[in-house]
Structure formats: structure tokens, C-alpha cells
Amino acid sequence: MNNSDKPIANPIVVLREEFDDWAVLFNPDTADAVGTNPVGVAVWKRMDGRRSLGDIVSEIKASFTDTPDAAFEEIASFVNTLAEKGFVGLEADRKAANA
Amino acid sequence: MPEELKNSMAPAASRVMRSPRDLDLEITARCNLRCRYCYFFNNPAVEYRDLPAGEWLKFFDELGSLGVMKLTLAGGEPFIREDLRELIEGIVRNRMRFSFLSNGVLIDDEIAAFIADTGRCEYVQVSVDGSCAEVHDSCRGPGSFEGAVRGIRTLQRHRISATVRATIHRNNMHDLENIARFLLDELGLPRFGTNSAGYLGACCVNADDLLLNIAERQEAMATLLRLAEKYPNRISASAGPLSEGRAWRRMEEARAHDQPAFHNGGRLTACGCPSSKISVRADGTIVPCNMLNHIALGRINQDSLADVWHNSPALKQLRNRHAIPLAGFAFCADCPYMPYCTGSCPGLAYSIVGQVDHPSPDACLRRFLEEGGTIP
């Protein structure tokens, strides 16, 4: 996942907020679920195919205090994990699919 | 995610989720069978009528907006609904998964193909209580065994996960070995579950004929424990003789060695359901659980489920049941198993003693032993 990639959340995936901002991402087609914390929820809500990963990281850094130096790597890793599970695609994928 | 954030914001275990994860829905009050120990029928608190599909579909939209993950469709017999496809489409549209509790008789290729195509069905649980028609039909009626087996084979043909629950009672307790062989070897099921007929619903009027006495219970327990060893990890139980046999062995060992209290032991902690799930009766009444059908919390499409979930006094009382010590009950006085006991199912307690906040006498190890039982 590169800084300029524009991740887009799979619309079939349910964001189920359980305790405060803690949440489960649930794919009803596969029954796969991923638990996530408030930062993950904030990332998920921003994956609209318009914001790049760099944009999302910048917004997260502005929204949360004490974000670690490795925030980009950690968020990229999180998004990659979601992509591997089919929870997230890239805007480029959609363009390619439509071509 | 950043570990610092992950670790600093862990939710407290006792907090209530924003919405239930799962719901048990009795989508119909109708059934094609009249099983002699059915918990559903013969409940004076229940209004036996069906809601039109539109009511359920509207409710599914609400569940979808709350992020509910899974529905278990039961009844009555859920496959009796002529508009079942419409209901399933509503569930799928709202990004949920579903399961069924069924007697299997009405499952045909057409509905099985439809269910398989959705890709959202977790399992269909079919009740099978005997290895042959003579045993199974003794409580469920003529033709029900053949229909159940046909239903399971139909599900298997369509690659839908078919599971079985065997309810143990006086008429089938000598057939347990055959039941296990039939389900696991002949039908090729990966596993099956067991429970036992309890003093609920229709069983209350047939209790003398059906409920196991102490000696029968002990024998069923021993047989099931032996079968569970013979078929490792393929026979499960959350209630009934197998579950009791396993739990009571642990309790007796703990008592004999004066071990510390079990986690949640000594209080009415057995029921964790109100923390993650809730139920709806066929008439649309929201209840805590199918076993507590008399506790009306609200009505679907009239009351907000989120509001009921967070603010219902009755639900709060059930959730606080874990704070009630067993030591406060005369029934439990001087019981050596108290530190290892959780009081068992509140639904069964209510049915037997008329109180939800009471340990269930049916699951009492001390009483079982005092009445002549021994732990296998």
C-alpha cells in the first residue's frame, strides 16, 4: 500500500460499533470478522476511494493525540490486512475493472 | 493498529454492547408437528399468532442499521412460512447472516437451493431424537423421522451446513448409541448436539411420561460421556445429561480437593445471553430469551430496539443477576458445591419455581446426589 493509493471500503462489510468507538468489521458473505480500536474505526470511515492513504494518515494524526512516529506504517499494515481479507479495495482496482 | 492506543482503550468487560450481536426470532407460531415436549407451545404467556412479512422486513431494516450480525430463525417451524424467501431476502439485504432451527420435514430442494444461493446461511439445525422412526416418531408424530432425514439429506445435497440436536427423554435414552452411529457414521454429520426435555411448554403436561428420573438421567449421562470419548469432539452439549456429566465431574473434583471457587461460581452467573443477544416472539414481542417468553420488553416497530436494549428495567435486572449470591437462597444452604455452581438456566428456574432470580433445581448436583444419583 503506497502513500498515494486510495483505499475504498467494501460496501458489504458492516462496521459494528460495540463499546464506545471499539468495533468489529464483519463481512456477512464470508463471516470473517476483524476487531478494531477507535483509530481503526476512524481509518475505516475515511476509506471512501477519494482520500489517499497519505490523506487518511494526516487526518488521523490531526484527530488523535500522541500518535506514534510509525503511524503510517501501522495504518498501512492495517489496511493491507483488510485488503487481504477482501474488506478493502483500491480505487485503482475499480478503475481497472471498469476499463 | 498502534499498540499504544490499542492497549490504553480496552473496553470494560461488564459494559453493554451498543446493540445485540445476534437475535433469536420466532418467525412463526405455526408448526406442522406437535412434539410432546416442545418448549414453545402451551405457554400461557404467549400469544400464538404470526406477523405479516412486512413487519419482519421493517424490523430487519432496523437490525441492519444497528449492525446486528446474525439471526436464528425458529418458531414454531420456520419453513412453514409461505413467504420465507421474502424474509430471507430482507435479511441478506440488511447484511446479516442467518441460521434455522427446524424439524426438517418441510425442507425441499427448492428452498434449499434458494438458501444455498444466498451464501449467508450458517447452518440449519434439524431435530433428530432417534435412530429410527419408531423412536423418533414416538414424541414427534408419524412420518416425522422420515421427513427429518429427508430434510438433512436435502441440505447436504445443497452443501448447506446441517447440524442436529437430539433431545433426550425417556423414550430415546436407550437408543443413544444407535443415534450417535446413525448421525455420525450413516448420515456423515461432522457432529451433533444433545440436550434433554425440560419442564417447559408442552412438556409440563407430559412430564411424567418423558422426563428422565434420577436413575435414567445417570444412565444417559454415563452413555453420553462414553460416546463423547468414542467420537472425540463430535458430540456437544450446553444442557442435558452430557453437559451435566461434564460439569458435575469438574465440580465434584473441585469439592473433593477443596479447590478455589470457579470463575463466577457461587452466584447466579449461568446466563450470559442478555449481554449479547435478545429474542422476539412470533407476535412481535421483544423478550430476553425464548426461555423467558413471559418477560415482555417491548414490541418490534413500535419500540426502538436500541432503547429496549439499553434501558429496559427487566433486561437490566437480568444482566445484574450475576450479583446475586447463591448463599442467599435457602435452597443452597450448606451446599458444598456452591463455590463451583452458577445456578443454571433462569428460564428453567422460572418454569419450575416461578422465579427467574433463583437457581434451577433441575440442575442441582446436590439434589441429584441426595436423590440417589451418582456421577459417572
Side-chain angles (χ1 to χ4, degrees), chain B residues 209-230:
Chain B
D209 295 340
L210 296 175
L211 295 187
L212 303 179
N213 63 30
I214 295 295
E216 290 164 339
R217 200 168 176 178
Q218 185 175 317
E219 186 182 334
M221 211 179 288
T223 304
L224 285 168
L225 287 166
R226 181 170 49 76
L227 288 170
E229 283 184 20
K230 180 179 175 182

Side-chain angles (χ1 to χ4, degrees), chain B residues 30-165:
Chain B
R30 292 176 288 150
C31 189
N32 53 319
L33 303 181
R34 281 292 181 276
C35 305
R36 298 185 67 212
Y37 45 78
C38 179
Y39 78 91
F40 179 74
F41 288 109
N42 192 40
N43 186 336
V46 172
E47 188 183 345
Y48 290 99
R49 68 177 177 90
D50 282 12
L51 294 179
E55 289 284 321
W56 286 113
L57 294 174
K58 186 177 174 189
F59 185 55
F60 294 161
D61 290 344
E62 182 182 1
L63 300 184
S65 71
L66 292 173
V68 169
M69 294 164 73
K70 199 190 104 181
L71 306 181
T72 300
L73 309 179
E77 168 53 45
F79 286 94
I80 208 169
R81 279 200 74 123
E82 300 80 2
D83 50 12
L84 184 58
R85 285 176 176 223
E86 198 181 343
L87 298 188
I88 293 171
E89 283 168 347
I91 294 168
V92 170
R93 192 164 53 244
N94 282 289
R95 302 188 297 174
M96 293 181 282
R97 294 178 68 80
F98 58 92
S99 305
F100 286 97
L101 307 184
S102 168
N103 59 46
V105 174
L106 301 176
I107 298 170
D108 59 21
D109 277 307
E110 199 177 339
I111 191 68
F114 180 81
I115 289 170
D117 280 348
T118 69
R120 296 284 185 84
C121 182
E122 301 243 311
Y123 61 85
V124 178
Q125 178 184 293
V126 177
S127 299
V128 177
D129 299 344
S131 65
C132 58
E134 184 186 355
V135 177
H136 179 94
D137 293 1
S138 69
C139 282
R140 293 184 173 270
S144 57
F145 177 76
E146 187 188 337
V149 174
R150 189 176 58 240
I152 292 169
R153 292 198 193 279
T154 302
L155 294 168
Q156 290 175 322
R157 214 165 37 247
H158 289 273
R159 301 184 184 282
I160 297 169
S161 174
T163 64
V164 159
R165 171 70 57 82

Side-chain angles (χ1 to χ4, degrees), chain A residues 12-57:
Chain A
I12 199 67
V13 173
V14 178
L15 170 66
R16 183 185 148 72
E17 295 180 76
E18 296 206 327
F19 303 96
D20 300 324
D21 289 334
W22 285 79
V24 173
L25 294 168
F26 172 63
N27 185 338
D29 282 341
T30 61
D32 278 348
V34 175
T36 188
N37 64 10
V39 179
V41 173
V43 171
W44 178 262
K45 288 179 175 176
R46 286 166 170 79
M47 290 196 289
D48 54 9
R50 294 195 303 272
R51 294 174 170 93
S52 69
L53 187 60
D55 294 336
I56 292 172
V57 173

